[in-house]
Amino acid sequence: DGGITQSPKYLFRKEGQNVTLSCEQNLNHDAMYWYRQDPGQGLRLIYYSQIVNDFQKGDIAEGYSVSREKKESFPLTVTSAQKNPTAFYLCASSKKGDGYTFGSGTRLTVV
Amino acid sequence: QKEVEQDPGPLSVPEGAIVSLNCTYSNSAFQYFMWYRQYSRKGPELLMYTYSSGNKEDGRFTAQVDKSSKYISLFIRDSQPSDSATYLCAMSEWNTPLVFGKGTRLSVIA
């Protein structure tokens, strides 16, 4: 079955540590996105990529980095520069002009 | 003023009621309008997708877009307890990422 897979489901980060969230899709979608969801804040765009080897910053890119070396994969790294990383992270993919398909999310907690 | 405004609720209705969910927006360049449903601790799933002003119906769900008023609505008829979720409106210009509302939490009481 086609879909979008995020891993891990839960992730714990120590202070000063970088962590990487995985996002893989087999839908043959060109575009991929990372959103952050906080209680009462809705979804806020971190980064997006419309084509392999190219990506753009979203509204809250500071403290995050991404890569898009393959069409199927769009990993997100939460760096130590992100001062408040505890949140629910959602990855999505789409064809141009279509709605998004979301993964099931990764819940990141700072310990 | 935020680009997309959505009342966060919570909204509580009895089973069988008609539910009305709404969003307003400020960017007149928005032309794609969507509604997503999100269950707790899950990713959002696409419910409705409209491109132009007017109504679109799919089963118990009707999406309405009024571009002149910059106002979109989602109606749920014969609401069920399984409809209890957070409903997110989202919209975009051509070939730009979706901008989401904050979501409205809905509870349908049996």
Side-chain angles (χ1 to χ4, degrees):
Chain A
D1 286 336
I4 183 164
T5 302
Q6 288 187 243
S7 62
K9 194 174 179 68
Y10 299 96
L11 187 57
F12 298 91
R13 192 194 95 165
K14 294 180 180 178
E15 296 283 350
Q17 192 178 43
N18 291 358
V19 291
T20 297
L21 284 60
S22 171
C23 179
E24 303 276 334
Q25 55 100 357
N26 60 3
L27 299 165
N28 199 33
H29 287 170
D30 289 314
M32 296 187 74
Y33 313 83
W34 275 104
Y35 285 87
R36 169 179 171 144
Q37 187 173 34
D38 297 278
Q41 292 286 331
L43 273 66
R44 292 183 291 168
L45 182 66
I46 305 172
Y47 268 99
Y48 67 103
S49 168
Q50 295 182 312
I51 195 168
V52 174
N53 292 322
D54 189 39
F55 48 83
Q56 286 76 42
K57 293 181 179 180
D59 300 318
I60 55 165
E62 185 175 349
Y64 300 97
S65 66
V66 294
S67 63
R68 186 85 188 276
E69 297 176 0
K70 299 186 300 180
K71 187 176 185 177
E72 301 79 20
S73 179
F74 192 41
L76 173 75
T77 296
V78 184
T79 75
S80 56
Q82 172 49 242
K83 296 307 178 189
N84 185 22
T86 294
F88 189 46
Y89 290 86
L90 287 160
C91 180
S93 68
S94 74
K95 286 187 176 179
K96 188 176 288 188
D98 274 0
Y100 293 4
T101 300
F102 280 89
S104 55
T106 293
R107 191 165 297 276
L108 174 62
T109 304
V110 174
V111 295
Chain B
Q1 182 188 11
K2 296 213 181 289
E3 276 198 297
V4 179
E5 299 275 5
Q6 182 176 10
D7 186 337
L11 181 62
S12 185
V13 302
E15 183 177 357
I18 296 175
V19 176
S20 172
L21 304 167
N22 312 294
C23 289
T24 60
Y25 62 95
S26 57
N27 185 350
S28 57
F30 284 150
Q31 49 184 296
Y32 299 96
F33 304 92
M34 302 177 198
W35 286 95
Y36 285 82
R37 178 175 63 197
Q38 185 178 25
Y39 293 111
S40 182
R41 296 189 179 88
K42 302 289 187 185
E45 55 179 326
L46 181 64
L47 271 181
M48 300 289 283
Y49 179 179
T50 54
Y51 171 67
S52 59
S53 282
N55 292 357
K56 181 176 181 180
E57 190 173 318
D58 184 0
R60 296 186 295 110
F61 298 91
T62 299
Q64 196 172 76
V65 174
D66 182 348
K67 285 187 176 180
S68 63
S69 302
K70 298 192 183 70
Y71 186 89
I72 70 170
S73 300
L74 178 71
F75 298 96
I76 306 174
R77 290 184 298 281
D78 187 25
S79 56
Q80 304 295 311
S82 58
D83 294 327
S84 297
T86 296
Y87 290 80
L88 298 150
C89 64
M91 49 200 79
S92 71
E93 304 177 38
W94 165 247
N95 206 27
T96 62
L98 286 174
V99 178
F100 284 82
K102 291 186 176 182
T104 300
R105 186 186 299 179
L106 171 67
S107 293
V108 181
I109 311 300

